[in-house]
Amino acid sequence: MNSIILFSVFALYLLILLIIGVFSYRRGMGSAEDYFMAGRSFGTLVLFMSLFGTNVTAFALIGMPGLAYHAGVGVFGYFGAIGAFVTPLTFVLLGYPIWQLGKRHGYMTQAHMFGDRWQSEAISYLFFGLIILYTIPYLIIGLMGGGIAIEAISKGVVPYAVAAGFVAGVTVLYTSLGGMRGTAWTNVFQASIFLAFLMVAFFSISAKLGGMTALHQRLVAEALPLVGKQHPRLAPGIWATGFLVGPLSVIAFPHIFMRLMTARDAKALRKTTLIYPWGLILLYLPITLLGVWGALDIPGLVGQESDKILPLLVAKHLPVWLSAVGLAAILAAVMSSLDGQILTLSTMIAVDVFAHKSHKAIPLVGRVGVIVIAAIAFAIALLRPAGIFDVAVYAFSGYTLIVPIMAFGLFWKRSTKTGVITGMLLGHGLLAAYYLGFKFPTFGTFPVFPCIIIESLVVVLISFLTSPPPQDIVRRFDNPFGALPQQTR
Amino acid sequence: MRRARILAIAGTGVLFVLHNNWWNWQPDATLLFGLPVDLVYRVLWVVASTGILWLALRGWWGATE
């Protein structure tokens, strides 16, 4: 009976995704601009939900309560509060210029925009290569997360390989059918599912455990350290530079970068920016508290065992049908990021590599790219590489190093291609060297902190030592906060 | 617009200092509205940060409409 309910809810969830994919395919115009960017036509709701759904990964529903289980309520300040400010702030400072340039000149990818900014194929290739390098581990982790979640909740009835293959297959189907429109509309549905599930789980579990005030009185009496910030993951140096690795890097994610350019107008972007912090708070506040309550209700989980705390709480306190919705919510978080990443990589291959082909062929290249990328990620996910999570931490830091380069391109006219290439090679090279074993001193901060300073200083220094770029090229990037001409709005 | 930009930059600095509240790293047993006091502090921090975001929007996007 339990299995029937579980699979019925799961099947319904997947069916809705496919229906949305088919529906958005029928709405498509067939052009590259429409397939990859949905005609840059999203209003506030779709823009917000697609950015939010893509930004929130399975880490929020699995890893964050798992960490709060050990480290306590400080996790909210470390991930939630600072993220709710820094990420939207990057939307204010970099998001509008990116959107405006995309609208004016038809840019779709970072390689395209910044290669053009410095008139340099080398910079295009650097962006292309680095972004592929940093995004592939996330695809693999997403598939592994989906496979592990289904296998665990179905109690092994669905084996890992079948589950991961199924997640990949469904994501490929609706992404290749619907393109950007399909992924954004499914993101609206997926973000609604995980937010709604979280609210229901939060209030139901709190009531079952005797109410919030009673729970927190117990927390203070029995586990006082969990209301402080003593955990090594929350040490002051890590705390102070944590925003560099998480919130600041978000705007450099290619799937977020592309989605920002799909806004219909500045108003949609402005409203999304102001709503964004509260979407993150609605997610991070309950998920942190659920993790901390888990430490009181189901004590004794060691190490990464605590990553199961949300499913364990749900299974212990909620009815089976709600557990099934919980599985759908975890999958929604996984798939809403996976689809964005797959679509973005296929866009990069189609636009950055095959741009010289006829415009009609480009969406087809994109669709084939979706299938090929997902197949490669699935093949690696089957091997379940042990070191993949370390690679992911490295990749996050790598995205962070792309942010100052984007800022130089948008705001500093004097920056030169030689300065940017040297800075990028040095910054990303140092970061790679650190994770490969060359442990330079970081003074208790994240390793990306010294790298970002060195990268930026080198760009400035070499730019001043080399000839200024021709003004006719720079003019295209003039006035980053100016209004768009009427006809291109 | 210029004033909004200056206030947003100054506000961001103040928020960063308040985020790194190293003077209050120890567990605090106080509950406010039934919640640990650090959580209430963080939520108020986010309320303040929304104000700074609004100032930043006015300061940098003032000419976009």
Side-chain angles (χ1 to χ4, degrees), chain A residues 236-299:
Chain A
I238 295 291
W239 182 284
T241 52
F243 77 95
L244 289 174
V245 180
L248 186 71
S249 63
V250 169
I251 196 145
F253 294 171
H255 40 290
I256 295 289
F257 180 90
M258 268 182 73
R259 269 166 166 69
L260 280 171
M261 290 193 288
T262 61
R264 184 174 51 212
D265 48 30
K267 207 166 151 188
L269 208 52
R270 175 190 292 264
K271 283 186 184 170
T272 297
T273 303
L274 283 173
I275 300 168
Y276 210 83
W278 297 100
L280 290 180
I281 295 306
L282 266 183
L283 177 80
Y284 288 141
L285 192 58
I287 204 73
T288 304
L289 285 175
L290 282 166
V292 178
W293 299 345
L296 292 176
D297 191 43
I298 309 173

Side-chain angles (χ1 to χ4, degrees), chain A residues 3 9 24 124 217 273 290 302 313 363 481:
Chain A
S3 304
V9 173
S24 46
S124 259
Q217 282 166 348
T273 303
L290 282 166
V302 180
L313 284 171
F481 290 103

Side-chain angles (χ1 to χ4, degrees), chain A residues 446-467:
Chain A
F446 274 100
V448 71
F449 182 58
C451 296
I452 204 168
I453 291 174
I454 290 169
E455 179 191 61
S456 305
L457 285 176
V458 167
V459 172
V460 172
L461 188 70
I462 304 283
S463 292
F464 277 126
L465 291 176
T466 45
S467 313

